[in-house]
Amino acid sequence: MPTPPLFQSKLLCFSLFYLFTALFLSLYASLSNTKCIFQSPLLDPIQHALFNYPSSYGEHKYAISTVHSCTSPVYFSDYQVVLKEIQDFYMNSSNFPSVLRYLTEGGESFGGNFSTQKRKSYFDHRDDEVEVPCGFMKNFPVSDSDRLAMENCRGVVVASAIFDDHDKIRQPRGLSVKTLEIVCFFMFIDDSTIAGLNSHNIPIKNNKIGAWRIVRVSGKLPYKNPAMNGVIPKHLIHRLFPNSRFSIWVDAKLQLTVDPLLLIHALVISENADMALSKHPHNIHTIEEAIATARWKKWGDVELLRMQMETYCENGLQPWTPDKLPYASDVPDTALILRKHGLASNLWSCLVFNELEAFNPRDQLAFAYVRDLMRPQIKINMFEVEAFEHIAVEYRHNLKRGVGGGPDPSEGQKRIKMPIRGAINGSRCERYLLTMWGEPHDS
């Protein structure tokens, strides 16, 4: 039977093939969650929802829009290769140098409440016998069964926390079935958050909600401020999970969209880093972030913010300059932190936590102060904002009347008002600000 004339032209056949392929890909992209044709190279990916929430809970409401490119700035290796490399990596004890010794008593609070000079004395850690203050000088109220589960978590842990019912419990996406078997997922919540779950009839079965094992932090909490209580699992994760080799901290406002093993491999191991986090999308200098914190009412005590910056300037904080490269910023986005648990990252976490207890839980403000002055130095992979947007989706916090203190949305984004030269004369941050502005000053 002769070939129909329609298919005798090779050019026509190729054109039709191209057309139908383009239509298919366009349809796929328009219906996909990310609008991108990008799939992590997973082995046996999970195809079903990890937990079915009631519609009243609104797990996916109030997403913050981003400019999302379909070109991934992060290279992910094949899942099976990643799995083997990570397992081999944490089986080799030489990859994890000697751990810290911790001060366990003598403090006035959960973290010790030490003076500035006492806290700074621990920055230079050359003697492995020195005990470093790192929280837990008072009880962190979790059950013995939860403590045992945390101690039994080896390899990789993913952790998050919700205090004062401030966020939703969001299930990670893009996981392999194997990952769900070998990676620990822990969510710390308080009684207020439990009450919120109960109001939506969300059950906690076998201590779990979907992928997350729920750890109830109940009773007398270490701090009156819920955000400060949330800082405990965020920055002392290596103490809560003493046998874990890697960790990923995920603020509860985020939803992971990439398998955590791929993230650890791509952003920590492949970069030979102790820790990885994203650059802040706007601010570069620490004092810029402090001013933004006051401007947007993220912390109400402006005088304490000023005192914190004056203290840091007096004790060695410098503005960002090209001399600090390869770090392209002094301000991170700490909503997502990936760590290799070892001497440098554990020390950094302890030192940052001590600063947060001394001043406030806004951890971006202590970031560069600790990073630049601690010894041994820590290797941090500060990746681009575009990478952050490919591996997580950000949602707004639960809105409560009279809580939060953010600016009126009707005001729109106003330019942060910087201090003027005449107002900084005599300030301990005068040299910092003049350098930041590029103005001449006495050496």
Side-chain angles (χ1 to χ4, degrees):
M1 182 176 178
T3 304
L6 179 64
F7 297 101
Q8 290 180 359
S9 170
K10 292 181 180 179
L11 179 61
L12 178 60
C13 290
F14 178 80
S15 299
L16 289 172
F17 174 78
Y18 180 85
L19 173 63
F20 286 119
T21 301
L23 288 173
F24 170 77
L25 294 177
S26 298
L27 179 63
Y28 180 90
S30 66
L31 296 177
S32 69
N33 291 329
T34 64
K35 308 299 181 187
C36 297
I37 308 167
F38 169 73
Q39 293 287 338
S40 300
L42 287 182
L43 174 69
D44 195 11
I46 295 174
Q47 302 288 353
H48 57 84
L50 294 173
F51 189 84
N52 294 315
Y53 292 93
S55 58
S56 62
Y57 189 59
E59 178 205 7
H60 297 302
K61 289 183 179 179
Y62 315 118
I64 297 177
S65 61
T66 58
V67 178
H68 195 87
S69 164
C70 286
T71 302
S72 173
V74 185
Y75 172 75
F76 297 114
S77 299
D78 180 77
Y79 180 86
Q80 289 180 295
V81 173
V82 167
L83 180 60
K84 185 178 186 308
E85 284 192 19
I86 288 180
Q87 289 175 329
D88 290 345
F89 193 89
Y90 67 67
M91 289 296 289
N92 185 351
S93 60
S94 65
N95 290 316
F96 300 90
S98 58
V99 295
L100 294 174
R101 295 164 58 90
Y102 301 114
L103 198 63
T104 58
E105 57 185 20
E108 301 175 2
S109 63
F110 181 82
N113 193 27
F114 296 106
S115 68
T116 297
Q117 292 309 315
K118 184 66 173 177
R119 296 194 311 274
K120 190 180 178 185
S121 70
Y122 294 102
F123 277 42
D124 192 341
H125 187 77
R126 307 292 177 95
D127 186 350
D128 289 344
E129 297 301 315
V130 173
E131 295 180 334
V132 177
C134 196
F136 297 98
M137 295 185 188
K138 294 187 181 297
N139 183 45
F140 186 54
V142 298
S143 68
D144 290 341
S145 61
D146 285 330
R147 290 184 192 278
L148 181 60
M150 288 186 278
E151 289 175 3
N152 288 334
C153 178
R154 303 174 186 274
V156 179
V157 59
V158 179
S160 188
I162 303 175
F163 286 84
D164 200 30
D165 197 28
H166 198 50
D167 288 285
K168 307 294 185 187
I169 296 178
R170 299 185 169 91
Q171 301 299 325
R173 294 192 284 115
L175 303 183
S176 166
V177 172
K178 185 67 174 176
T179 294
L180 205 55
E181 294 173 358
I182 64 175
V183 174
C184 313
F185 292 83
F186 278 80
M187 175 71 71
F188 296 82
I189 62 177
D190 62 354
D191 291 340
S192 177
T193 306
I194 289 283
L197 294 172
N198 291 339
S199 71
H200 292 283
N201 297 313
I202 296 176
I204 302 175
K205 295 182 178 179
N206 299 319
N207 297 316
K208 297 193 75 175
I209 295 179
W212 298 102
R213 177 179 173 118
I214 303 300
V215 177
R216 186 169 185 171
V217 186
S218 186
K220 185 177 180 181
L221 301 184
Y223 302 102
K224 293 181 179 179
N225 186 330
M228 193 62 210
N229 288 318
V231 162
I232 295 172
K234 180 174 185 177
H235 284 293
L236 303 184
I237 191 170
H238 62 289
R239 299 213 59 191
L240 291 168
F241 300 89
N243 297 312
S244 293
R245 295 299 198 177
F246 299 95
S247 66
I248 300 179
W249 169 262
V250 185
D251 273 8
K253 66 181 180 180
L254 299 184
Q255 181 183 35
L256 274 188
T257 57
V258 176
D259 189 285
L261 294 182
L262 297 178
L263 293 178
I264 287 290
H265 183 267
L267 298 174
V268 178
I269 295 178
S270 296
E271 297 291 333
N272 191 29
D274 298 305
M275 187 169 69
L277 36 60
S278 170
K279 294 192 299 186
H280 192 279
H282 305 298
N283 299 327
I284 296 176
H285 303 284
T286 301
I287 289 186
E288 274 187 316
E289 179 63 20
I291 294 170
T293 298
R295 167 66 184 85
W296 295 108
K297 302 179 183 178
K298 295 180 178 180
W299 186 253
D301 192 338
V302 176
E303 178 59 24
L304 187 61
L305 288 172
R306 184 197 64 77
M307 183 187 304
Q308 182 180 13
M309 292 300 100
E310 294 264 340
T311 299
Y312 288 174
C313 289
E314 183 179 34
N315 284 277
L317 176 67
Q318 299 294 327
W320 185 88
T321 67
D323 291 340
K324 290 192 179 186
L325 292 172
Y327 299 127
S329 174
D330 277 354
V331 185
D333 185 332
T334 60
L336 183 71
I337 306 176
L338 300 93
R339 295 179 177 92
K340 179 183 76 172
H341 290 188
L343 178 63
S345 66
N346 292 354
L347 178 63
W348 181 89
S349 297
C350 295
L351 297 177
V352 165
F353 180 83
N354 295 337
E355 295 304 314
L356 304 187
E357 187 189 66
F359 293 106
N360 59 71
R362 303 299 302 174
D363 51 8
Q364 297 97 327
L365 302 182
F367 173 77
Y369 174 65
V370 173
R371 180 198 68 191
D372 295 346
L373 299 180
M374 67 176 283
R375 297 293 182 273
Q377 290 187 311
I378 184 172
K379 299 177 182 177
I380 303 178
N381 173 20
M382 292 190 74
F383 52 85
E384 298 294 333
V385 177
E386 290 78 10
F388 177 88
E389 294 174 351
H390 273 82
I391 61 183
V393 178
E394 183 174 354
Y395 294 85
R396 301 187 188 280
H397 296 296
N398 290 348
L399 302 179
K400 295 183 179 182
R401 188 180 301 276
V403 176
D408 186 340
S410 64
E411 293 182 2
Q413 286 236 349
K414 294 183 178 179
R415 183 174 178 83
I416 299 168
K417 186 177 180 180
M418 303 294 286
I420 59 176
R421 180 161 187 166
I424 66 172
N425 291 337
S427 166
R428 284 171 282 184
C429 288
E430 180 177 0
R431 182 174 299 175
Y432 180 109
L433 289 166
L434 293 175
T435 301
M436 186 177 81
W437 291 332
E439 295 189 16
H441 57 82
D442 295 333
S443 301

